[in-house]
Amino acid sequence: MIKYINDYGIDLFITSEYGLCRITIPNKTPTVAFLSTLIVDDKHRHCGIGNKLLDTAKLIAKEYDCEVLTLQCDEGWKADWYKRKGFMIIGEGYDPNMIIMSCNLSTTNKLKED
Ligand SMILES: CC(C)(COP(=O)(O)OP(=O)(O)OC[C@H]1O[C@@H](n2cnc3c(N)ncnc32)[C@H](O)[C@@H]1OP(=O)(O)O)[C@@H](O)C(=O)NCCC(=O)NCCS
């Protein structure tokens, strides 16, 4: 994992061989992490890497004492997938074709408790 601390907050880049996700924890809302990137190499999709990255993002956000993980996505299969992963729609995105989703991390274990 790569960690950047800047004036805005903390950026955490979680990498695997064929995928990457990024969570941002703003100083202004330290209990609300934002999943701003989640991408898997297109030749290696449908193999569970996205699921593993999302699970790890939830664990790491919890490790940083976040209570909620939010993200923005379009409606369709990705929103359906996030719902299966415990996210719910909480509003419209900045772009009207996008939605904001949120996952309560209270049921996510901390890494050290695993
Ligand atoms: C979204 C993304 C990261 C998923 O990565 P992945 O490694 O293929 O995901 P997984 O193999 O772990 O599958 C995750 C779930 O999505 C479902 N899924 C994956 N691709 C799908 C598709 N094209 N259509 C419908 N469902 C799909 C899988 O069935 C799986 O569901 P399940 O775990 O409930 O059975 C990948 O498609 C990607 O990089 N897309 C481009 C970037 C992007 O859109 N990122 C998301 C921003 S919100």
Side-chain angles (χ1 to χ4, degrees), residues 2-13 22-29 36 64:
I2 300 164
K3 176 177 175 179
Y4 288 109
I5 299 175
N6 53 44
D7 291 343
Y8 179 76
I10 303 172
D11 270 328
L12 300 165
F13 292 84
R22 170 189 177 193
I23 50 178
T24 300
I25 305 172
N27 289 332
K28 282 189 178 170
T29 58
S36 48
Y64 276 78

Side-chain angles (χ1 to χ4, degrees), residues 38-40 45-48 50-51 73 77-78 81-82 84:
L38 172 57
I39 189 158
V40 172
R45 290 183 186 169
H46 314 289
C47 301
N51 262 319
C73 74
W77 70 264
K78 287 174 203 161
W81 170 44
Y82 290 129
R84 294 196 297 278

Side-chain angles (χ1 to χ4, degrees), residues 13-24:
F13 292 84
I14 301 153
T15 56
S16 73
E17 194 173 3
Y18 299 114
L20 164 79
C21 77
R22 170 189 177 193
I23 50 178
T24 300

Side-chain angles (χ1 to χ4, degrees), residues 54-102:
L54 185 55
D55 289 343
T56 305
K58 286 162 76 174
L59 285 169
I60 288 174
K62 177 91 175 189
E63 199 65 21
Y64 276 78
D65 294 326
C66 295
E67 294 168 6
V68 170
L69 180 62
T70 60
L71 56 84
Q72 182 174 233
C73 74
D74 49 359
E75 290 193 78
W77 70 264
K78 287 174 203 161
D80 293 340
W81 170 44
Y82 290 129
K83 283 179 195 164
R84 294 196 297 278
K85 300 293 285 183
F87 287 78
M88 56 187 281
I89 298 173
I90 57 163
E92 273 186 14
Y94 310 110
D95 175 334
N97 297 318
M98 305 290 270
I99 51 173
I100 306 280
M101 302 188 76
S102 163

